[in-house]
Amino acid sequence: MQRDEISAQAFRLFRQKGYEATSVQDICDVCGISKPTFYSRFASKGDLIIDFYDGVTERLNANLSSLVETTSAWEQLKICFGTLMDETEAAGADLMAHMLIINLEQDRHSFDARDFLTRTMVAIIRRGQKTGEITNRMPADELYETASYLFQGYLLMWSISKARLDWRTKFMEGLAALLSVQNGMSC
C-alpha cells in the first residue's frame, strides 16, 4: 500500500475518531498492513499530519485554473487563500491543532514559504498594485509574508477555538486592510 493510500485512510479515521483516539494499529488494521510496513513509510503518526499540510500547496496548484477566469488581483488572492482554508477545514481543527503542536515541539517546516505559492501570490499582489486595486505600496514580497503570518495567526486561533472562530471573514477583512484593497471589504 502506498503512502497516499495510507494517509487517506488515516485521515478518514482521524475525522471519525479524533487524532488522539486513533492509534497506529487502528491505521494498520484499516489499511491491512503491519506496523513495520507503516513505519517503513512514516516515522510516526504525526508525520501523516505534516505530509498532509505539505501537500496543501500542491493541491492548490490544481485549482490555479480558476485564477485565469478573473482578472481581479483581489479575487485571485481570495481564490488562493480560500483554497488553503478549504483544505485546512477539510482536515479539521483537531488535526491542525496537532500539526501546530508537532511544529512547536520540533520545527517541521510546515509554515515555511513554498516557492511556487510565494511566486504566485507575490505576482498577483504586484499586478494588483500596478492596476491600483491594491493601494499599499510596501514591496509585494513583504506584503505576502505579512499576509501569510496573518493566515497562520488565524489558523492558530481557529484551531484553539475548535473551529468556532469565523476565521474566513476575519482573515479576509484583515487581508483587505493589510493590502488596502479598493472595495476589498466585499469578502
Side-chain angles (χ1 to χ4, degrees), residues 140-157:
D141 58 331
E142 290 179 27
L143 286 172
Y144 173 64
E145 180 180 38
T146 303
S148 64
Y149 289 139
L150 180 67
F151 182 88
Q152 292 168 17
Y154 277 112
L155 166 62
L156 171 68
M157 297 311 298

Side-chain angles (χ1 to χ4, degrees), residues 33-140:
I33 60 173
S34 65
K35 279 188 175 182
T37 300
F38 175 87
Y39 286 112
S40 72
R41 288 163 178 78
F42 299 96
S44 68
K45 183 170 77 165
D47 280 359
L48 290 161
I49 295 172
I50 301 303
D51 278 0
F52 170 82
Y53 202 74
D54 286 344
V56 166
T57 54
E58 293 170 19
R59 287 185 294 280
L60 177 62
N61 293 343
N63 202 22
L64 289 181
S65 62
S66 60
L67 292 181
V68 298
E69 295 173 8
T70 180
T71 58
S72 164
W74 176 240
E75 290 301 317
Q76 289 175 336
L77 290 170
K78 287 172 32 179
I79 289 167
C80 289
F81 281 111
T83 300
L84 293 171
M85 289 176 166
D86 292 344
E87 290 281 343
T88 300
E89 289 174 352
D94 178 55
L95 288 181
M96 290 296 99
H98 281 87
M99 190 268 306
L100 292 161
I101 291 166
I102 290 166
N103 277 273
L104 286 171
E105 292 172 347
Q106 176 188 4
D107 186 3
R108 301 291 294 275
H109 304 285
S110 296
F111 297 106
D112 291 355
R114 302 303 192 269
D115 289 338
F116 178 78
L117 182 60
T118 298
R119 284 192 311 273
T120 301
M121 299 287 238
V122 168
I124 293 170
I125 292 169
R126 273 195 194 114
R127 192 174 47 72
Q129 288 173 319
K130 285 180 184 168
T131 65
E133 189 176 4
I134 295 173
T135 59
N136 186 328
R137 294 296 172 214
M138 284 179 56

